[in-house]
Amino acid sequence: FLLCMDTNGNPTKAVSFGSVDNDRPSSLATDGDMLAVLSSSTSRLMLNTFDETLQQENVFEFPFKGKATSDLLKIGPNKILIGGSLKGKMEIEGLLVESPNRECAFLVALTHDGEPITVWQSSGSGAHRLHSFTNDADGGYTLVVNAGKGNTGNSGILLLKLDATMQTQWQQTMECT
């Protein structure tokens, strides 16, 4: 549920949303008149959007098989960005994120109407989890990815720069021993 309070901390409105599937909200993001809440259950990610009066506008569901976590959410003037990790398979309106043998990091860009724009997915060995990202002034993205033990046997941090179409421009790896 969402609870709206006045400046004195008094509740003014409560809104219940979600389903009976034990949806767990993980992130909130706002941009102007839009509030978005990202949640997950054991078989889907859900994105709920609300207007400035907390009237629910949209519910977008992204089913997956396997294990998915998503706790990164940002809203821009023309897109919604969702990031997380996945071991298994998830389809987002025709875009596929698939990693059956290891946990991969992903970043998905959607329109405000829930239509997919593009998706990025990590590659390489070891488990990857998207830790944070920025939407850069040039329209691209800078990502920080936690990388589990891969071929070198060491964990590390990946710093990546993607262009607006989520193609890798450069990547830096910092190993942790």
Side-chain angles (χ1 to χ4, degrees), residues 7-163:
T7 56
N8 295 321
N10 299 312
T12 60
K13 186 173 187 175
V15 177
S16 178
F17 66 97
S19 70
V20 296
D21 289 342
N22 264 344
D23 298 330
R24 293 175 303 278
S26 59
S27 298
L28 294 169
T30 61
D31 181 58
D33 297 341
M34 179 187 280
L35 168 68
V37 180
L38 186 62
S39 61
S40 64
S41 69
T42 57
S43 62
R44 65 194 168 138
L45 297 178
M46 290 183 59
L47 178 64
N48 295 272
T49 63
F50 301 86
D51 68 14
E52 66 277 1
T53 66
L54 294 185
Q55 181 69 34
Q56 189 164 17
E57 293 183 325
N58 295 299
V59 178
F60 305 111
E61 294 187 26
F62 312 116
F64 63 84
K65 292 181 181 175
K67 175 188 170 195
T69 58
S70 184
D71 47 8
L72 298 172
L73 175 65
K74 293 188 181 185
I75 302 175
N78 58 0
K79 62 185 143 187
I80 299 171
L81 299 166
I82 300 172
S85 65
L86 171 76
K87 181 177 180 182
K89 180 179 180 179
M90 179 171 50
E91 186 172 341
I92 301 174
E93 300 293 327
L95 291 178
L96 184 65
V97 179
E98 186 171 22
S99 183
N101 300 319
R102 66 168 186 83
E103 192 173 2
C104 74
F106 70 88
L107 180 63
V108 176
L110 306 167
T111 67
H112 283 199
D113 294 324
E115 296 297 319
I117 299 170
T118 189
V119 65
W120 171 85
Q121 176 179 335
S122 65
S123 60
S125 60
H128 294 166
R129 181 172 174 89
L130 185 60
H131 179 68
S132 65
F133 67 90
T134 61
N135 192 2
D136 301 334
D138 64 3
Y141 312 90
T142 302
L143 284 63
V144 177
V145 176
N146 292 340
K149 293 182 179 182
N151 294 335
T152 64
N154 294 329
S155 297
I157 305 267
L158 304 175
L159 182 62
L160 298 104
K161 172 64 178 157
L162 308 179
D163 66 15

